Amino acid sequence: MARVCVDVPLPHLDRTFDYRVPSDLDVKAWPGTRVKVRFSGQLVDGWLLDRVEDTAHEGRLSWLEKVVSAEPVLDPQVLRAAREIADRYAGGLADVLRLAVPPRQAKVEAEPAPPAPEGLVPEPPHEGWQRYPAGEAFLRALGGGRAPRAVWSALPGEQWPDRIAEAVAATLHASRGAVVVVPDARDLERLDTALTALLGPDRHVALAAALGPTERYRRFLRARRGQVAAVVGTRSAAFAPVADLGLVVIWDDGDDLHAEPRSPYPHARQVLLTRAQQQDAAVLVGGFARTAEAQLLLATGWAKEIAANRDQLRRYAPVVQPADDNQLARDPAAASARLPSAAWLAARDALTAGAPVLVQVPRRGYVPAVSCQECRERARCAHCAGPLALGSANGVATCRWCARPAAGWACPACGGRRLRAAVTGVRRTAEELGRALPGVPVRTSGRDAVLASVPAEAALVLATPGAEPVAEGGYGAVLLLDAWALLTRADLRATEEAARRWFNAAALARPAGRGGKVVVVADSGLATVQALVRWDPAWLAERELGERRELGFPPAARMATLTGQADAVNDLLDLAKLPEGVQVLGPLPVGEDEERMLLRTGRAGGLALAKALHDAAGVRSLRKAAHPVRIQLDPHEL
């Protein structure tokens, strides 16, 4: 018999089905292979999970129709992790396997396998980790085949790809495997380069969607066949099939790119922690900032902290100075560029010294929001009420929703026809700074074109958060503008996200001993600003976790969101046999015709809540309910 998971995204079919195996397929029908089976009269894809001698099914069994490929691409340990992730996030196993295993490329399977590299990976150097009191011990534990678990606060200016490469090399030296997940392609390229330099060629593979389906599948097979012992990549690489997994690493775990946008919406951090727990692997959660989830790992004793002492921080950290918006009026030159005097002086001094200056602007575009010049009423489209925006200095305001031009716009409140910038984007800021500092090159890095690096020469580099290029030798000054745009977001993680973006940008500055300076345009009394001034992300994360405990928000509690039409959400809640103690909050309006309900329970009740919601979704699926409900457990954004 073959035990099969059919690849059908229906909650009520989230179980295995038994099929008889014909004799001509017996030698190819092994666990982990792709198969085709008859299901409800149709030929559907499936995963062969196990071979059994008998079945509990009392009726007539169908035959296995086809083994698509004899390649066992589904690793047993990956299957085990996928099942746990599906249960945790109220999803189906087939949905998780779709995330874990890339689509098949038949011609790649037929290619001859390249030879695996010979010889043992040498023990890596320890000098970089010696700057952290617990760093060298962590590296030695990896080299000894043990499984330490750590949350790492990287020093400002740290070459984190080199440190992670050294941790991977120590793990491979102990003849174990490693999986590393980073947020985006730029980070992956830096880490890939560092690993190649330290390990040599063909010791690891990098997985990313940008590779294309053929090359990605080729590299996936190299890992599955045991030809490489280390895999690095973006979030889907968290499921990479590495033999004898000894280390999992996630860098910058607060980045929303780690949250999977497809059902059942797992977070890469949780996937890696699950695999580490199941396979007794080491864990390294690293970043310049720290999330509440990472702080919880420390607070419960599950992981230990790797952080530099204050003497090391004073050696490597830049000077951080807060500047209030009220300082704009004191300096005419600064006011014309929307810069406080402190930021203006820091930029001028760095440019005079021949160093680049990084300016972080939270908003992309030119002027993403405009308002009436006379009454300051926000300008909206007359057709759809969407916000108006300007694409250039001489352009016509257009609607950001329906893209209609608003050449004849008139304010419905006062009749005024002149517009002013309500929110200034990175391109408008670049224009203003270019006029204020003539002769200085101005470079921009954002969604349209992201720079990987800039040379060590005097220039203004304007970037949106997450698109900051690395400067050779570090930036002479880093200016963090429009802090209110990050801090006033109506989101649970607004403070944490602002801190993460600021720490990541500030870490690119030179040390204070070489003139590095960071100016953040925000109130100095804010906790986020104080953490940046003292370079103490641990204090801020501990404070954030304490507040969430008091309020009952993740990660101190488990929370689910149900999003859909009101009658569909109510129907699912009526069907769900919610465990005792679950709080139902809401509804909250979402869009024009949808609403969202929040369900909250203690951490110990998370699995029971997920099962109740999955079972209720299965009943609705069996009934062929007309309107779907999106179920998310511990969503990145509430």
Side-chain angles (χ1 to χ4, degrees):
M1 306 294 175
R3 193 148 286 166
V4 175
C5 168
V6 293
D7 191 4
V8 179
L10 295 174
H12 70 281
L13 299 178
D14 183 29
R15 58 188 180 89
T16 58
F17 296 86
D18 290 346
Y19 286 84
R20 298 174 68 186
V21 180
S23 58
D24 61 320
L25 297 181
D26 184 61
V27 295
K28 296 192 298 182
W30 288 102
T33 55
R34 289 181 167 100
V35 296
K36 284 188 177 293
V37 295
R38 288 285 171 186
F39 195 84
S40 297
Q42 295 182 330
L43 194 63
V44 300
D45 294 324
W47 294 98
L48 200 159
L49 305 184
D50 198 7
R51 290 290 297 271
V52 294
E53 293 294 332
D54 203 357
T55 178
H57 182 71
E58 297 179 354
R60 178 176 173 271
L61 291 180
S62 298
W63 291 93
L64 197 69
E65 291 285 335
K66 181 182 180 182
V67 176
V68 177
S69 168
E71 186 84 43
V73 290
L74 180 56
D75 181 82
Q77 295 295 344
V78 172
L79 171 61
R80 182 183 171 198
R83 181 67 271 175
E84 185 167 329
I85 290 297
D87 293 341
R88 181 183 179 88
Y89 287 93
L93 178 61
D95 291 331
V96 180
L97 294 181
R98 206 173 297 121
L99 304 175
V101 184
R104 178 180 182 245
Q105 304 294 316
K107 63 180 181 180
V108 174
E109 293 181 356
E111 294 174 354
E118 297 180 357
L120 191 67
V121 173
E123 187 176 358
H126 290 194
E127 289 78 10
W129 283 100
Q130 287 174 348
R131 295 182 296 174
Y132 306 89
E136 188 174 13
F138 178 79
L139 210 62
R140 291 193 184 282
L142 293 176
R146 299 192 297 277
R149 300 189 291 253
V151 174
W152 170 40
S153 292
L155 280 166
E158 179 65 273
Q159 296 299 316
W160 60 266
D162 293 341
R163 301 293 83 76
I164 293 177
E166 289 158 3
V168 171
T171 306
L172 269 60
H173 177 72
S175 300
R176 301 194 71 183
V179 172
V180 185
V181 175
V182 294
D184 55 38
R186 283 196 313 151
D187 292 333
L188 180 58
E189 183 178 0
R190 293 182 64 191
L191 181 58
D192 187 27
T193 301
L195 281 168
T196 302
L198 185 61
L199 302 179
D202 301 324
R203 291 280 187 181
H204 77 284
V205 292
L207 297 179
L211 294 169
T214 300
E215 181 59 26
R216 184 184 174 205
Y217 192 63
R218 181 179 291 115
R219 297 186 183 188
F220 172 85
L221 284 184
R222 289 195 65 197
R224 178 66 184 96
R225 292 168 176 173
Q227 294 165 345
V228 293
V231 175
V232 298
T234 49
R235 61 175 177 260
S236 62
F239 290 101
V242 171
D244 191 15
L245 184 63
L247 172 68
V248 297
V249 182
I250 185 167
W251 172 256
D252 197 10
D253 65 304
D255 196 311
D256 59 3
L257 292 175
H258 286 304
E260 175 60 54
R262 294 171 292 176
S263 178
Y265 318 104
H267 196 284
R269 176 184 55 240
Q270 188 57 50
V271 175
L272 292 176
L273 295 181
T274 298
R275 296 189 66 185
Q277 187 76 17
Q278 291 179 345
Q279 298 181 247
D280 192 26
V283 175
L284 183 62
V285 179
F288 293 114
R290 185 181 295 177
T291 61
E293 285 80 3
Q295 185 63 31
L296 183 64
L297 298 178
L298 297 175
T300 57
W302 195 85
K304 301 297 182 182
E305 183 181 44
I306 297 179
N309 56 37
R310 299 309 299 179
D311 290 338
Q312 289 282 6
L313 278 173
R314 282 190 287 269
R315 180 181 177 185
Y316 290 100
V319 174
V320 181
Q321 178 182 352
D324 198 294
D325 279 329
N326 294 331
Q327 295 176 338
L328 285 171
R330 301 177 188 175
D331 191 322
S336 67
R338 294 188 306 109
L339 289 180
S341 299
W344 175 262
L345 293 173
R348 190 183 63 185
D349 292 347
L351 293 171
T352 302
V357 174
L358 173 64
V359 184
Q360 186 191 76
V361 183
R363 306 284 188 174
R364 61 176 180 261
Y366 190 75
V367 178
V370 292
S371 59
C372 175
Q373 177 68 39
E374 281 72 29
C375 69
R376 303 299 193 263
E377 183 76 16
R378 188 61 64 92
R380 295 192 172 276
C381 176
H383 296 274
C384 69
L388 297 183
L390 285 173
S392 63
N394 300 318
V396 176
T398 57
C399 178
R400 287 167 53 190
W401 291 359
C402 68
R404 285 189 173 94
W409 178 86
C411 178
C414 70
R417 291 185 174 274
R418 292 189 301 163
L419 293 170
R420 68 184 300 273
V423 177
T424 305
V426 64
R427 288 195 290 113
R428 170 69 177 269
T429 305
E431 276 189 9
E432 294 172 345
L433 289 175
R435 287 194 297 266
L437 295 165
V440 177
V442 179
R443 299 182 175 92
T444 59
S445 179
R447 184 177 65 173
D448 296 333
V450 178
L451 302 177
S453 62
V454 293
E457 60 186 28
L460 284 169
V461 181
L462 284 88
T464 52
E468 301 92 349
V470 177
E472 297 177 14
Y475 289 98
V478 174
L479 314 181
L480 307 174
L481 304 185
D482 299 336
W484 59 269
L486 295 177
L487 293 171
T488 58
R489 292 170 60 234
D491 186 74
L492 171 69
R493 300 181 184 271
T495 298
E496 182 179 281
E497 179 65 8
R500 188 186 70 83
R501 293 181 175 187
W502 290 351
F503 275 104
N504 285 353
L508 300 175
R510 296 175 177 179
R514 295 176 51 216
K517 193 167 188 178
V518 176
V519 179
V520 52
V521 183
D523 183 358
S524 60
L526 295 172
T528 317
V529 177
Q530 284 298 309
L532 185 64
V533 169
R534 303 199 304 263
W535 203 276
D536 196 353
W539 169 79
L540 184 66
E542 187 176 3
R543 186 177 186 271
E544 183 76 9
L545 178 60
E547 290 181 353
R548 295 195 199 176
R549 276 179 172 150
E550 291 180 6
L551 299 172
F553 283 122
R558 296 293 308 279
M559 186 165 281
T561 61
L562 311 178
T563 307
Q565 294 190 7
D567 56 347
V569 172
N570 292 331
D571 180 42
L572 189 143
L573 282 174
D574 291 340
L575 293 170
K577 298 177 181 178
L578 297 178
E580 185 178 353
V582 173
Q583 293 177 282
V584 181
L585 310 172
L588 307 173
V590 180
E592 295 183 358
D593 58 350
E594 289 190 342
E595 68 177 28
R596 177 171 297 158
M597 298 291 287
L598 306 179
L599 281 69
R600 180 168 58 191
T601 187
R603 289 185 57 79
L607 285 177
L609 173 61
K611 184 178 186 306
L613 295 176
H614 182 60
D615 291 346
V619 174
R620 297 191 76 245
S621 171
L622 186 61
R623 294 178 178 176
K624 299 182 179 180
H627 302 294
V629 176
R630 185 166 68 253
I631 302 173
Q632 289 183 265
L633 269 292
D634 297 334
H636 190 75
E637 293 185 356
L638 292 176

